[in-house]
């Protein structure tokens, strides 16, 4: 009887240990999978950026060159900062909204 009781206790403890071990293994596996997934995403981002820079680099260079040339040729009153400042002066100086529109 006593031996039968302790065998049940031991079996229950073994079963509990198996449950705890499986939970821990699952936790560790999910964590490792998350780390690997993040690493794969990083590699994808790096490759896609490299691909775009390699294949569209000349296009971006031309666009940047045209933008610099356009900003150098722009008149001072046509620049965005000056136009915004003038619009804010009109809004602040007006007494009613209908005057601004």
């Amino acid at each position: 009887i006593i031996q039968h009781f302790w065998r049940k206790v031991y079996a229950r403890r073994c079963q509990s240990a198996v449950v705890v071990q499986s939970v821990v293994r699952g936790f560790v596996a999910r964590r490792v999978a998350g780390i690997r997934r993040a690493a794969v995403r990083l590699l994808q981002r790096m490759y896609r950026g490299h691909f775009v820079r390699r294949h569209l680099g000349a296009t971006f260079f031309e666009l940047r060159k045209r933008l610099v040339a356009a900003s150098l040729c722009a008149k001072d009153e046509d620049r965005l900062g000056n136009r915004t400042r003038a619009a804010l002066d009109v809004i602040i100086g007006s007494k009613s909204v209908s005057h601004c529109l």
Side-chain angles (χ1 to χ4, degrees), residues 1-96:
I1 294 178
I2 296 173
Q3 189 177 16
H4 179 69
F5 170 77
W6 283 110
R7 282 184 182 162
K8 281 182 164 180
V9 169
Y10 179 72
R12 200 171 336 147
R13 284 184 183 172
C14 287
Q15 185 63 32
S16 299
V18 168
V19 169
V20 169
Q21 288 170 356
S22 66
V23 168
V24 170
R25 275 196 309 269
F27 172 76
V28 170
R30 282 188 297 277
R31 189 168 182 174
V32 167
I35 291 171
R36 286 183 180 161
R37 196 170 22 254
V40 166
R41 283 192 206 122
L42 174 67
L43 288 173
Q44 286 176 340
R45 282 196 317 258
M46 291 175 69
Y47 175 76
R48 289 173 182 160
H50 169 73
F51 182 81
V52 167
R53 283 189 299 275
R54 187 177 61 180
H55 289 287
L56 298 177
T59 305
F60 286 134
F61 179 74
E62 289 296 321
L63 286 174
R64 183 176 291 139
K65 193 164 69 171
R66 286 174 45 198
L67 183 63
V68 167
S71 67
L72 289 176
C73 295
K75 293 182 278 187
D76 196 37
E77 64 268 6
D78 290 340
R79 294 182 190 266
L80 182 61
N82 294 333
R83 288 174 33 200
T84 305
R85 187 177 301 116
L88 285 173
D89 289 341
V90 168
I91 291 172
I92 291 172
S94 66
K95 300 219 187 273
S96 67

